[in-house]
Amino acid sequence: MMPCDDWEAAERLTEEFKAVGFYLSGHPLDDYMGALNRKYMGKAVRFLTLDDLTKHVSERGAMNACIAGVVAGKQERKSARGNRFAFAQLSDPTGGYEVTIFSDTLEKARDHLEVGAKVVVTVEATMEADQLKLLARSVAPIDLAVADVSNMGLRVFIDTASAIAAVADVLEGARTAAKAAGRGPVQLCLMDPGLPGEVEVDLGMEFPVTPQIKGAIRSLEGVMEVEEI
């Protein structure tokens, strides 16, 4: 059998979902969670994971919140009055959920609800007979939602010297392509067995740092982990 390159992280997750109907090695939103938490920190409407939202509504009652999701499906219906509404199935790193979308919101949100799309949904959350009910009030592409998030940096843990060049290629490509993207510092933590110990290298300049860039670096061979700083 001829050797072949491993899938990138995003492609692997897509193929996992196609094969078994859920994600095995991670979730497509993993690299967005830090940016989303910073985006909504201190806001009147909080960003919560599905688990946290369920717990909050169970213990304290109905609330408005923002929740992220990857769209897994959508079914549109027509009411007795002729108004269109929809049920959309989504998931975040803590589980799957469904939101109801009435006609006024659906007209604005329909283009963002294609299967595989990553979105942020503002919802009214209630608990009915121990079942979480979510009514969507707005839907936005996740990349648009985090576009103005304050800069973050990355610490990249590497265990093979060859990965340094690959990380450099990703960062240089991002620096060349980015226009208004926020920038942050990048540190490399080298953990090669040939070194006397862990060596930390600050690259000495700031690079465009987004969830997509974080995910691209994390998928490289020889990269053990990527942390936000």
Side-chain angles (χ1 to χ4, degrees), residues 145-167:
V146 301
D148 61 347
V149 173
S150 58
N151 298 356
M152 68 175 178
L154 296 178
R155 180 178 291 111
V156 184
F157 294 85
I158 295 174
D159 67 355
T160 58
S162 61
I164 297 175
V167 172

Side-chain angles (χ1 to χ4, degrees), residues 41 80 164 168 177 228:
M41 186 179 297
I164 297 175
E228 295 181 13

Side-chain angles (χ1 to χ4, degrees), residues 87-210:
F87 300 105
Q89 296 75 43
L90 304 97
S91 70
D92 77 359
T94 66
Y97 59 94
E98 182 174 81
V99 295
T100 302
I101 311 169
F102 289 153
S103 58
D104 53 345
T105 303
L106 182 60
E107 288 301 313
K108 301 174 183 177
R110 185 177 283 111
D111 291 344
H112 307 320
L113 293 171
E114 297 296 326
V115 172
K118 303 178 183 72
V119 295
V120 174
V121 188
T122 303
V123 297
E124 293 181 12
T126 57
M127 193 66 68
E128 299 179 15
D130 295 327
Q131 180 76 31
L132 183 68
K133 298 292 185 180
L134 302 175
L135 174 62
R137 288 306 185 188
S138 68
V139 180
I142 199 168
D143 289 323
L144 181 63
V146 301
D148 61 347
V149 173
S150 58
N151 298 356
M152 68 175 178
L154 296 178
R155 180 178 291 111
V156 184
F157 294 85
I158 295 174
D159 67 355
T160 58
S162 61
I164 297 175
V167 172
D169 287 343
V170 171
L171 293 174
E172 181 59 25
R175 189 180 66 82
T176 302
K179 295 180 180 179
R183 294 173 179 266
V186 176
Q187 299 173 354
L188 304 182
C189 290
L190 311 180
M191 306 177 70
D192 191 284
L195 295 172
E198 183 176 311
V199 177
E200 187 168 295
V201 179
D202 191 318
L203 298 187
M205 61 183 297
E206 294 190 339
F207 296 88
V209 176
T210 65

